[in-house]
Amino acid sequence: MKGLDIKEATEAINASTSINILENIKVKYFGKKGIFVDLLKNISNLSLEEKKLMGNTINQQKDLLDNLIKEKFLQLKNIEINQQIALEGIDLSLNSHTDHKGGIHPITATISQIVAIFGQLGYKVAHAKEIESDWYNFTALNIPLHHPSRQNHDTFYLNCTDDKNKPKLLRTHTSNTQIHAMEELANKKEFSPLKVIAPGKTYRSDSDATHSPMFHQFEVLHVNYATEISIPKLKALLTYFLTTFFNNNNIKLRFRPSYFPFTSPSFEVDIQYKKTANGLIMGEGDDWLEVLGCGIVNNNVIKNCGLDFTKYKGFALGAGIERLAMLKYNFKDLRAFFENDYRWLTYYNFGANYYPTVFGGL
Amino acid sequence: MKFTLNLLKEVINLNPECTLQDIANTLTIAGIEVEEVIDYAALYKSFSIGFIKETQTHANSNKLQVCTVLVNPTGKKEEKLQIVCGASNAKAGIYVVFAAVGTYIKSLDITLSKASIRGVDSYGMLLSEKEIGLSNEHGKIMEFTDGKVGQTLADKLNLNDVIFNVAITPNRGDCLGVIGIARELQAYGLGTIKDNLYNSAINNIKELSIEIDIKDNLSNSFGLYLLENVDNINNNNLELLKIKQYLTKCGFKSISPVVDVINYCSLLFNQPMHAYDYNSLNNPNKVVVEDIGKLLNKNLIEVTDLKNKIYKFSADSTDNNHINVEITAPITLPNQTITQQVINKNIDNAIPVVNFYNNNNCVHGAFAGVMGLLNASSNNNSSVILLEIAHFNAISVALSKRKLDINSDSSYRFEREIDIDNLNNVAKYVINLLNIICGAKLVSYKAKTITKPQNILQVALSEINDLTENQFKIEEISQLLGKLGYTTQANTSVMQISPPGYRNDCLDSGVIIADIIRLYGFNNLKEGNIKVMPSEIGKTTYRLYDRIISTKQTLATLGLLETYSMSFISKVLHEEFALHNSNYYVVNPISEDLKYMRTSLISSLINIAKNNLLKFNNNFKLFEVSSVYVEDKEIYMASGLLVGNKFNKSWNTEETAFNAWHSKLIVNEILFNYGFNYSNLNVESNNLPKYYHPTKAGKYSLGTNNTIAYFGQLHPQVLNNLDIKTNIIAFEIFIENIPFNENKFNKSPIVISEHTPIVRDFSIVFNDSVKIQEIIKVVKAVDKKLISSVDIVDIYKGDKIAALSKSISFRVTIVSLEKTLVDAEIQEISNNIINSLQQKLQGVIRS
């Protein structure tokens, strides 16, 4: 074919050493003034028969060259990429700068765990004030002014008074939530069972490795028709709580008779443990650790809240949140919870998206 | 409360097989917490007495001595050993404490072996009190002037006893006496209380000629016993020595024979008593228990108690129900100097006192049930004593001791109630002992008692069985309670239960059920069912609780660490970081640093920042979500600090300090998380709290007086005042002030454009005072439908444009939901943007 030497073209394409050269070859054959344009122009003078024949031939040649060029182009492009890869290598043994990492404090994490456990059983979160009156912190809870157990409370008093002209105080326990919740219940038109879980801050004038002037407690209260409340149910609730909280089916509980003015009978609950170098193992060993206090709500307290104690009873329990966290996670010093040393926080925090669930395990 | 095994055996015959562990376990399940059991005989069994026969100075050390010691640790054969000792008091002729080779020394955590000390062999060790574990004395070895070689140390020190340290709950005053402990052990079958405890008798004694007058039910039983021929000088009576040992082991100080006997009996029977020096009472013919306030008219009463505290009582001229008292207490400082602490109080006038009258002349004898007064109480020279054995009203004592700031053993017992039925028995016991030890002879006595009505509780069997989910029978309950001294009667299903007189805590059926359960065994109760009723299913938390938790998570995700701080702070921090005007403080703080109820969380966070900076933690982000205290309201805040650098200089970043925009970003993220659209909020800079930088901080608010957030740099002066040299950025969010968007995820259907967005860039010069937010608003207002975003690309100030102006480059994205826009339409929007900025903000296209 005049003007087109396929052999020459094929050789040129194969011999191309760069995309640039290949581009030039492409222009030479396929450009606006390229050889194929010329060839196609020239066949316009031929007869229809010849035109068809010639046209087919040219198109075949055209496809052939086009494919060759594309193939070569890919080949050259790969070579180019490989050359670039060889040049642009980086040292990934280096680390990028890091941004600050945040996290949830162990106290928040522990409260969330406790709320998750009781929430599963139909308990609702309640909150009561920290700045409290004598009535809600003491008197309504069957702790009158002269009561010896007031001395164990080491109360902080504030420079303001309540409506009975008594100094306001910082609540010494979360048990004040019991009174608020039961008063609210008594004011309802109709009785309905009450189940609350109330975590929060509490205050006592005491400071050492196991005492902090501010700490956290949680209170659990269940008030119901008298026949619905029993000590075996309280026992079952505590077994469920401690087993779930410590994520340990071997947990063994010991109920000791004790005394709280607002419950009767009252019990303290111990769990069995063994001390090891890596912390405590629950459910084994010969020692017992006190973990919480509980009991059947004292009739006087039910009465003080305006409920009829011949019809309704309740059980309540309460415990220190930091104490439970210390037992579960082997923290040594209570004070460190509130010192907020950056290194401590960085080490002990629960990460940014900690939101525990009972089904996910605690 | 402390008691010893031997003391216990004074009142109870324990079963021969009863072990220390049995006692401890039984007390625990009885509700008496056993804090400590110290078996001295076991503790010191490997230490015995040796005798230094001679000493020689060590050839290679002038501090060491080579002692020849006579020892007999096994009690089989005395031998002579060479022991090298470094104590300065090691000398020939003294008895010392010896530990043989092979002995484990707990205080040093070593097992002794034969040693060569600087070339001289040493076979054992002579011990200091610290090494033995008796005290912290370590300078010298323990030495005695007399002794017996081979005697055990426990024997030598009379330590062959076991001390129990137990915690008695406030309801069980009866267990503050050893007899109460014994009763519990008897109930559980560990022994039998001796039946001849009070065998001495008071017979044919004439009546004391002192009239007893009790006012206001301050006492239900009051007895006075006149004893003559008292020898109150310490003697070597064996019974007295034994009593003193008991008292020391149980934490009492030995005072005088009479007082020691009284305290001993009080320890046994929980009955406080007081001995008056009869000759100091001015031949009384009447004793009155009365309130001191009723004696104060115009006169002042001054008394001194046994601890040398002086009380001056005077009437309150304005209030009949109150009196004033000035208490002067001597305080011994660590350096032995004595100073005085004076406290003035205005109290209600209920301070019961025991007054002795000779017609109208009055001698103040004691603060009733709390503490005796110095001038009326027995002393070493008292040969005639008047012994008071009484009951005092528990509430009166509890209130009185608090008002007087006295903590005495006596008041501790009275305020927990005593066994009023046992007063006569205790009298017999103590008088007999005083006779044996001090030669005291009872001359006359008088006792006035108001008979206590019997306490009977009606308890339905069904109540017991419902609460325990058990099927107790009446006989079973009677039998269980009988062990604890209850008497029961039942004709029907309601039981009449009468607790023993010493159980003053049996006020309701709960106490009785507790006693039944503990004797039956808590573990024998079944495990109940946990039920969740359909009505209880649903949300556990309330919306503010959820917001608190989600705020914490968002802040943590943004790289901030959660902190917890005390709710009270120092006055300085309170004033410097006052977010609200509230001055509530703790009147009895643990320290001045923990006094004022904080009104901002920044006040706590700044302290954390400062402490961390001092520990070379230089760059960090912290937050707290908690309440602040405004009057007695608790307001939840979410606050944080960005301290130092966001990035330190590294191979791929420049050092970047935190700035106010970083804090604004955090606030925006929180608002976004609440489902609150913050894009229309104005940043205001007026009325910021004074601890913020006046020109590098701002706030968001929703209407007047409804601030929702502050953010920005802290005031350099404030940081300077706190001696903080690091850049600190803060934010505070009033999380309760932001509307709750309950339907955050409940949205109208989204319409997404399928057409190509067009982007146009502009550079416009504005006066410097024009806020960027204004510019964006004006641009967006040009076509709210088509303009989808306006992004600031560059801000230029400098000599290429006029002074006090800035060039803002921004990129506008334009997209239609219906079609691809043509050039003419884009051009029109562009022109409108330029015109609008020119008209509204005097913006000029940068040439």
Side-chain angles (χ1 to χ4, degrees):
Chain A
M1 210 181 302
K2 194 189 161 203
L4 176 65
D5 183 340
I6 284 293
K7 195 181 168 223
E8 184 198 300
T10 309
E11 275 169 7
I13 289 167
N14 285 340
S16 302
T17 52
S18 76
I19 287 175
N20 234 349
I21 296 170
L22 193 62
E23 293 283 3
N24 289 338
I25 294 171
K26 197 177 171 184
V27 170
K28 181 178 169 190
Y29 289 93
F30 294 94
K32 279 180 187 166
K33 292 173 183 169
I35 288 172
F36 280 111
V37 174
D38 273 357
L39 284 176
L40 286 169
K41 242 185 240 166
N42 291 342
I43 64 169
S44 59
N45 304 329
L46 298 179
S47 72
L48 199 64
E49 197 82 334
E50 281 174 321
K51 216 187 261 182
K52 205 176 171 184
L53 195 71
M54 203 58 186
N56 268 344
T57 313
I58 292 169
N59 277 336
Q60 274 171 20
Q61 305 285 1
K62 200 177 163 188
D63 285 350
L64 181 77
L65 284 190
D66 189 41
N67 280 337
L68 275 176
I69 288 171
K70 275 182 181 153
E71 232 168 72
K72 188 67 186 176
F73 186 83
L74 262 181
Q75 200 186 350
L76 289 173
K77 188 70 192 169
N78 281 341
I79 289 166
E80 194 180 291
I81 288 170
N82 285 335
Q83 281 169 347
Q84 198 183 341
I85 285 171
L87 288 173
E88 71 186 2
I90 59 170
D91 179 2
L92 273 172
S93 69
L94 266 170
N95 289 321
S96 178
H97 67 275
T98 50
D99 204 345
H100 298 262
K101 281 186 192 65
I104 296 292
H105 194 281
I107 292 177
T108 300
T110 308
I111 290 176
S112 294
Q113 293 173 17
I114 294 165
V115 167
I117 296 169
F118 286 100
Q120 180 109 338
L121 300 178
Y123 288 81
K124 309 295 177 198
V125 177
H127 174 74
K129 294 175 103 181
E130 294 162 27
I131 296 182
E132 192 52 284
S133 69
D134 186 272
W135 170 258
Y136 287 102
N137 194 71
F138 289 127
T139 312
L141 284 161
N142 205 28
I143 317 173
L145 184 61
H146 58 82
H147 202 286
S149 76
R150 277 211 187 193
Q151 287 157 25
N152 302 333
H153 279 241
D154 299 318
T155 314
F156 285 121
Y157 288 95
L158 295 176
N159 63 330
C160 54
T161 52
D162 61 22
D163 52 3
K164 291 184 182 106
N165 212 24
K166 287 187 173 156
K168 285 205 177 183
L169 47 87
L170 294 173
R171 66 171 172 182
T172 58
H173 45 197
T174 43
S175 304
N176 67 332
T177 9
Q178 288 191 31
I179 306 300
H180 288 284
M182 281 193 275
E183 276 187 356
E184 207 175 290
L185 176 62
N187 287 331
K188 278 189 181 168
K189 274 191 194 132
E190 218 174 298
F191 178 85
S192 59
L194 175 75
K195 280 172 132 180
V196 293
I197 157 86
K201 291 189 165 87
T202 50
Y203 303 86
R204 291 193 197 178
S205 177
D206 212 344
S207 185
D208 59 41
T210 55
H211 296 90
S212 165
M214 184 189 88
F215 58 104
H216 294 76
Q217 280 189 343
F218 72 94
E219 195 83 4
V220 168
L221 173 69
H222 180 188
V223 179
N224 210 325
Y225 297 101
T227 50
E228 291 294 315
I229 296 295
S230 77
I231 293 165
K233 281 180 184 161
L234 175 60
K235 184 177 170 181
L237 179 69
L238 288 169
T239 306
Y240 174 78
F241 167 60
L242 292 168
T243 305
T244 318
F245 179 77
F246 287 108
N247 215 350
N248 181 337
N249 289 326
N250 295 325
I251 284 276
K252 280 181 204 69
L253 276 62
R254 179 172 80 179
F255 284 73
R256 276 183 292 114
S258 187
Y259 175 73
F260 308 107
F262 36 95
T263 48
S264 181
S266 304
F267 303 97
E268 265 174 355
V269 181
D270 301 337
I271 51 174
Q272 196 177 21
Y273 77 100
K274 189 167 91 181
K275 201 171 186 174
T276 71
N278 299 320
L280 306 178
I281 299 177
M282 307 297 178
E284 293 176 24
D286 300 322
D287 291 315
W288 295 88
L289 259 173
E290 186 182 319
V291 286
L292 53 81
C294 62
I296 302 295
V297 180
N298 190 305
N299 288 345
N300 289 336
V301 177
I302 303 247
K303 191 169 69 186
N304 287 342
C305 297
L307 289 168
D308 181 350
F309 66 82
T310 62
K311 283 188 193 157
Y312 310 115
K313 278 190 180 295
F315 55 66
L317 63 103
I321 285 167
E322 289 87 349
R323 179 170 170 77
L324 286 176
M326 285 167 90
L327 294 180
K328 183 169 177 179
Y329 297 109
N330 202 20
F331 293 111
K332 294 288 180 242
D333 190 333
L334 174 62
R335 287 168 296 198
F337 281 98
F338 306 105
E339 266 164 22
N340 299 303
D341 185 291
Y342 172 75
R343 293 157 294 189
W344 192 93
L345 295 172
T346 303
Y347 184 71
Y348 281 118
N349 81 75
F350 276 67
N353 285 305
Y354 184 76
Y355 203 66
T357 55
V358 175
F359 63 81
L362 300 167
Chain B
M1 178 218 178
K2 281 182 181 169
F3 65 91
T4 79
L5 184 62
N6 290 339
L7 190 54
L8 191 61
K9 288 177 180 167
E10 296 280 339
V11 297
I12 186 172
N13 295 316
L14 290 170
N15 298 341
E17 68 276 10
C18 170
T19 64
L20 292 179
Q21 198 58 47
D22 291 339
I23 296 175
N25 289 347
T26 302
L27 292 178
T28 304
I29 56 165
I32 295 167
E33 215 173 310
V34 179
E35 293 177 337
E36 220 178 2
V37 179
I38 309 166
D39 183 348
Y40 281 109
L43 206 56
Y44 303 125
K45 67 172 189 290
S46 44
F47 304 138
S48 64
I49 301 299
F51 179 72
I52 303 184
K53 195 135 175 68
E54 56 184 58
T55 62
Q56 278 180 315
T57 309
H58 194 291
N60 301 323
S61 164
N62 49 14
K63 284 194 179 148
L64 294 173
Q65 297 197 71
V66 182
C67 308
T68 307
V69 187
L70 286 179
V71 300
N72 185 6
T74 58
K76 286 174 189 156
K77 188 171 167 254
E78 200 168 287
E79 56 181 326
K80 241 191 255 177
L81 290 180
Q82 174 172 289
I83 296 171
V84 179
C85 178
S88 58
N89 65 324
K91 59 176 184 282
I94 60 169
Y95 288 87
V96 290
V97 183
F98 163 73
V101 167
T103 307
Y104 174 71
I105 311 284
K106 197 180 171 201
S107 62
L108 304 172
D109 191 23
I110 54 163
T111 300
L112 297 180
S113 55
K114 185 197 135 186
S116 171
I117 299 170
R118 297 210 182 176
V120 178
D121 287 347
S122 182
Y123 300 85
M125 188 172 171
L126 306 181
L127 303 160
S128 70
E129 289 186 15
K130 186 176 178 182
E131 285 155 350
I132 297 165
L134 281 175
S135 76
N136 278 324
E137 173 61 53
H138 191 50
K140 298 183 286 188
I141 54 172
M142 199 173 183
E143 66 168 272
F144 306 94
T145 50
D146 60 352
K148 186 169 163 278
V149 171
Q151 190 181 21
T152 67
L153 178 66
D155 251 350
K156 172 74 191 160
L157 296 176
N158 280 312
L159 287 172
N160 272 334
D161 204 345
V162 182
I163 294 184
F164 288 83
N165 194 356
V166 296
I168 308 291
T169 50
N171 57 325
R172 293 300 302 273
D174 61 308
C175 287
L176 291 172
V178 174
I179 187 76
I181 303 284
R183 283 188 208 114
E184 286 295 335
L185 297 178
Q186 178 176 263
Y188 286 89
L190 262 55
T192 318
I193 290 180
K194 292 181 178 175
D195 50 13
N196 55 351
L197 264 185
Y198 316 107
N199 58 353
S200 57
I202 299 175
N203 290 326
N204 302 323
I205 305 291
K206 66 177 182 184
E207 193 183 48
L208 179 72
S209 59
I210 298 178
E211 188 196 333
I212 297 171
D213 182 5
I214 311 291
K215 308 276 195 204
D216 309 323
N217 298 319
L218 289 172
S219 162
N220 286 341
S221 186
F222 192 91
L224 287 175
Y225 299 79
L226 188 65
L227 298 149
E228 285 181 353
N229 190 35
V230 180
D231 174 11
N232 200 13
I233 305 292
N234 268 316
N235 56 41
N236 283 331
N237 182 310
L238 283 178
E239 196 71 13
L240 179 62
L241 290 177
K242 187 182 81 180
I243 286 173
K244 280 168 135 177
Q245 278 171 22
Y246 280 142
L247 290 176
T248 312
K249 284 171 195 161
C250 298
F252 286 80
K253 256 192 193 161
S254 171
I255 310 279
S256 71
V258 168
V259 175
D260 289 353
V261 168
I262 285 175
N263 283 342
Y264 172 67
C265 292
S266 184
L267 183 59
L268 281 180
F269 305 115
N270 190 37
Q271 174 59 56
M273 289 165 265
H274 188 65
Y276 298 99
D277 176 44
Y278 182 75
N279 294 329
S280 304
L281 299 178
N282 193 17
N283 285 319
N285 53 23
K286 191 176 175 185
V287 61
V288 186
V289 183
E290 58 192 333
D291 269 355
I292 205 165
K294 302 208 169 132
L295 306 175
L296 297 165
N297 289 322
K298 294 249 156 50
N299 54 329
L300 184 133
I301 294 177
E302 179 176 328
V303 294
T304 304
D305 74 10
L306 291 171
K307 295 262 154 70
N308 291 314
K309 268 164 84 179
I310 302 163
Y311 306 79
K312 285 179 193 157
F313 297 94
S314 59
D316 181 336
S317 55
T318 57
D319 182 352
N320 277 340
N321 294 319
H322 280 78
I323 56 174
N324 296 315
V325 57
E326 182 194 289
I327 306 173
T328 308
I331 297 174
T332 309
L333 295 177
N335 61 2
Q336 300 293 311
T337 56
I338 295 175
T339 175
Q340 285 184 335
Q341 184 193 18
V342 182
I343 303 165
N344 281 294
K345 286 184 170 190
N346 183 271
I347 56 178
D348 64 49
N349 56 13
I351 300 284
V353 283
V354 180
N355 285 330
F356 293 90
Y357 288 90
N358 176 346
N359 297 321
N360 286 329
N361 293 325
C362 174
V363 174
H364 305 294
F367 291 128
V370 178
M371 189 174 277
L373 297 173
L374 190 61
N375 292 336
S377 298
S378 67
N379 54 52
N380 287 129
N381 301 321
S382 301
S383 57
V384 186
I385 60 170
L386 192 61
L387 183 64
E388 170 201 281
I389 305 179
H391 158 272
F392 289 106
N393 183 297
I395 297 176
S396 309
V397 171
L399 296 176
S400 163
K401 67 171 261 195
R402 202 170 308 174
K403 288 179 233 172
L404 297 168
D405 289 335
I406 298 177
N407 270 319
S408 65
D409 182 66
S410 165
S411 62
Y412 191 86
R413 294 173 189 277
F414 279 125
E415 68 179 322
R416 284 161 178 77
E417 292 282 5
I418 58 153
D419 179 7
I420 196 167
D421 296 340
N422 206 34
L423 260 59
N424 284 335
N425 281 332
V426 177
K428 284 189 267 180
Y429 196 97
V430 69
I431 286 165
N432 182 42
L433 259 188
L434 285 172
N435 179 262
I436 293 171
I437 289 168
C438 312
K441 288 206 164 54
L442 179 64
V443 185
S444 59
Y445 79 99
K446 182 181 272 178
K448 187 174 177 176
T449 302
I450 297 163
T451 315
K452 189 172 122 184
Q454 207 189 358
N455 181 12
I456 299 172
L457 289 110
Q458 315 263 343
V459 186
L461 182 64
S462 61
E463 186 189 347
I464 298 170
N465 282 335
D466 282 351
L467 206 59
T468 56
E469 294 192 36
N470 208 338
Q471 280 84 45
F472 286 114
K473 304 243 170 357
I474 283 182
E475 306 73 55
E476 196 180 1
I477 291 171
S478 300
Q479 191 248 334
L480 289 173
L481 289 176
K483 293 181 182 178
L484 286 170
Y486 286 86
T487 51
T488 51
Q489 273 189 344
N491 299 324
T492 60
S493 58
V494 176
M495 301 184 73
Q496 266 108 64
I497 300 176
S498 183
Y502 47 82
R503 286 294 297 274
N504 294 298
D505 61 316
C506 295
L507 301 173
D508 59 59
S509 55
V511 180
I512 288 160
I513 294 171
D515 278 345
I516 295 170
I517 293 173
R518 69 180 166 103
L519 283 168
Y520 178 70
F522 195 99
N523 290 340
N524 296 330
L525 292 186
K526 68 173 188 181
E527 194 113 332
N529 287 324
I530 305 176
K531 275 191 275 183
V532 183
M533 304 304 287
S535 60
E536 295 161 3
I537 297 168
K539 200 162 160 45
T540 302
T541 53
Y542 50 94
R543 63 184 195 179
L544 178 58
Y545 185 89
D546 293 341
R547 177 166 281 189
I548 290 166
I549 296 290
S550 78
T551 305
K552 290 179 177 186
Q553 288 177 328
T554 307
L555 290 171
T557 308
L558 292 170
L560 285 81
L561 283 165
E562 188 186 8
T563 67
Y564 270 82
S565 287
M566 296 289 150
S567 305
F568 20 55
I569 51 169
S570 70
K571 190 173 190 202
V572 171
L573 288 174
H574 169 72
E575 286 173 353
E576 196 81 86
F577 296 94
L579 185 56
H580 301 275
N581 184 21
S582 174
N583 275 308
Y584 273 26
Y585 59 83
V586 178
V587 294
N588 55 336
I590 218 160
S591 77
E592 286 301 309
D593 286 344
L594 303 171
K595 182 168 170 124
Y596 281 81
M597 300 309 292
R598 58 181 177 175
T599 65
S600 77
L601 301 181
I602 300 295
S603 56
S604 300
L605 288 162
I606 198 82
N607 220 14
I608 301 173
K610 188 173 175 175
N611 290 338
N612 273 300
L613 289 167
L614 288 173
K615 292 182 202 164
F616 307 103
N617 302 321
N618 294 324
N619 308 299
F620 47 88
K621 302 202 276 189
L622 303 172
F623 77 93
E624 182 174 0
V625 181
S626 190
S627 45
V628 297
Y629 306 86
V630 184
E631 303 293 303
D632 58 349
K633 285 198 292 292
E634 288 150 35
I635 297 173
Y636 271 91
M637 306 283 305
S639 307
L641 292 182
L642 315 178
V643 179
N645 291 338
K646 183 173 171 65
F647 303 122
N648 280 333
K649 167 93 184 94
S650 84
W651 63 273
N652 65 346
T653 46
E654 287 308 310
E655 180 173 298
T656 311
F658 284 117
N659 60 43
W661 290 290
H662 293 137
S663 60
K664 185 188 174 192
L665 177 76
I666 290 170
V667 171
N668 288 346
E669 291 283 337
I670 292 291
L671 295 175
F672 176 78
N673 171 256
Y674 294 171
F676 182 83
N677 180 4
Y678 58 84
S679 60
N680 295 324
L681 289 172
N682 289 325
V683 177
E684 302 161 36
S685 55
N686 56 318
N687 293 329
L688 296 177
K690 64 181 172 123
Y691 48 89
Y692 281 101
H693 192 299
T695 58
K696 287 186 174 179
K699 70 171 180 183
Y700 282 151
S701 50
L702 288 173
T704 43
N705 293 330
N706 190 17
T707 303
I708 57 173
Y710 294 113
F711 46 85
Q713 195 163 322
L714 289 182
H715 201 298
Q717 271 172 13
V718 172
L719 294 182
N720 194 42
N721 290 346
L722 294 169
D723 205 18
I724 295 174
K725 299 191 169 50
T726 310
N727 155 58
I728 299 186
I729 309 297
F731 66 87
E732 291 171 277
I733 306 167
F734 294 73
I735 63 176
E736 293 175 74
N737 287 359
I738 298 145
F740 285 86
N741 185 351
E742 313 283 358
N743 298 318
K744 194 165 100 170
F745 299 112
N746 219 347
K747 300 167 181 173
S748 53
I750 187 170
V751 185
I752 296 169
S753 172
E754 300 293 337
H755 303 282
T756 318
I758 311 291
V759 169
R760 285 289 179 273
D761 290 344
F762 302 83
S763 277
I764 312 254
V765 178
F766 297 94
N767 186 296
D768 208 5
S769 63
V770 175
K771 298 264 189 234
I772 303 276
Q773 198 177 11
E774 292 287 306
I775 298 168
I776 293 172
K777 256 189 195 170
V778 168
V779 175
K780 280 188 171 171
V782 165
D783 194 325
K784 284 188 176 146
K785 262 189 168 168
L786 298 181
I787 296 178
S788 67
S789 71
V790 181
D791 299 305
I792 304 300
V793 178
D794 189 42
I795 299 166
Y796 174 78
K797 290 181 194 181
D799 47 14
K800 290 180 185 161
I801 54 173
L804 296 176
S805 65
K806 58 187 171 191
S807 167
I808 307 295
S809 303
F810 54 92
R811 173 165 293 180
V812 178
T813 307
I814 305 162
V815 66
S816 162
L817 285 173
E818 287 107 27
K819 55 173 184 174
T820 301
L821 297 169
V822 296
D823 278 356
E825 288 164 317
I826 300 292
Q827 194 54 49
E828 193 190 338
I829 293 171
S830 297
N831 290 343
N832 287 346
I833 288 172
I834 291 161
N835 291 340
S836 203
L837 287 172
Q838 187 168 22
Q839 279 164 27
K840 291 181 177 150
L841 300 172
Q842 286 79 48
V844 182
I845 293 188
R846 190 171 166 195
S847 48

